[in-house]
Amino acid sequence: MTSKSPYETALAAIDAGHSLDPTKTTINGEEVPYELHYAQKCTSYLEQRAPDAPEHLRLAIRAQHFRRWEVPRASYPMTRVGYHSWRTFLKKRQAELVEAICKDAGYAEETTKRVGALIRKEDLKADEETQVLEDVACLVFLDDQFEAFEKEHDEDKIIKILQKTWGKMTEKGHELALQIPMCERPKEVIAKALAG
């Protein structure tokens, strides 16, 4: 019996955490925990965006929403400041939880800290790997969440959010985003946002 590598051990622990998400989604007729689906989707976009990504980036991308459901959005004030406070707390908490997993899996402190820094999205514009993570997060939002999101908000708000999302991405991210198959309505709103 071969022993697992630190990467395999950490990945299994991350996915075990995702599997506890009580929110379910149906994929190809099968019910799966939403955060596990989200994490797998992130990995599939990473394969397109940076197929040669090192282990620490793969782990950070797989774990960027780690146990997020345990801190619901409603636990913070429903204001812009509340939203940003919630996001800041989540990034810090997710990074700490995943750093502990990496350490337990046998990674050196340097790698463990790097995974945490990526999850916290440190040096976003200056750090190429953090930018890859941001591209992947934006791609998954556009592919997996945008159609439902678009139905819940007015067009002006959607256009602003799309423009902000687009501004966070690299050229390579834009290329991949434009290849995402979408229904007519979301396509139309994206075209308006990009023309604006």
Side-chain angles (χ1 to χ4, degrees):
M1 186 177 148
T2 57
S3 62
K4 282 184 175 178
S5 68
Y7 177 73
E8 290 167 323
T9 304
L11 192 66
I14 288 164
D15 281 354
H18 291 322
S19 297
L20 300 173
D21 184 5
T23 304
K24 303 288 188 277
T25 188
T26 304
I27 307 296
N28 301 325
E30 189 187 339
E31 203 177 64
V32 292
Y34 178 75
E35 287 301 350
L36 182 62
H37 159 71
Y38 178 88
Q40 289 168 341
K41 196 110 186 166
C42 286
T43 295
S44 72
Y45 269 110
L46 176 61
E47 291 301 331
Q48 296 177 57
R49 174 61 182 80
D52 300 327
E55 286 181 9
H56 60 262
L57 181 54
R58 289 177 181 278
L59 290 171
I61 281 176
R62 188 71 164 214
Q64 63 173 312
H65 275 188
F66 193 68
R67 301 182 81 103
R68 174 177 271 210
W69 73 88
E70 292 177 338
V71 186
R73 169 67 187 95
S75 63
Y76 279 75
M78 297 307 279
T79 59
R80 192 178 168 84
V81 172
Y83 174 74
H84 288 294
S85 301
W86 174 66
R87 288 287 302 269
T88 301
F89 176 76
L90 280 176
K91 282 193 280 192
K92 186 172 179 288
R93 179 180 187 263
Q94 286 155 189
E96 284 169 3
L97 291 170
V98 178
E99 280 180 25
I101 284 173
C102 291
K103 189 179 175 186
D104 290 347
Y107 275 109
E109 188 179 359
E110 188 185 346
T111 305
T112 297
K113 285 194 179 316
R114 181 67 180 140
V115 172
L118 285 164
I119 290 172
R120 286 188 298 273
K121 296 187 184 177
E122 291 178 3
D123 299 322
L124 182 54
K125 287 295 179 188
D127 186 312
E128 199 177 321
E129 290 183 340
T130 308
Q131 188 60 64
V132 169
L133 183 142
E134 185 67 24
D135 272 357
V136 167
C138 292
L139 287 163
V140 176
F141 165 68
L142 290 169
D143 182 7
D144 202 54
Q145 299 159 332
F146 178 62
E147 285 195 25
F149 187 80
E150 186 268 325
K151 288 174 186 149
E152 292 167 13
H153 300 279
D154 67 70
E155 191 172 284
D156 286 350
K157 184 175 180 176
I158 295 292
I159 286 173
K160 282 191 185 105
I161 288 167
L162 280 171
Q163 288 169 341
K164 200 172 174 188
T165 300
W166 205 253
K168 291 177 183 176
M169 298 169 79
T170 62
E171 283 304 313
K172 178 72 176 161
H174 293 161
E175 282 171 32
L176 291 169
L178 292 170
Q179 292 166 27
I180 296 171
M182 286 185 185
C183 299
E184 279 314 305
R185 174 67 188 145
K187 260 192 205 165
E188 202 180 291
V189 183
I190 286 177
K192 276 187 189 176
L194 300 184

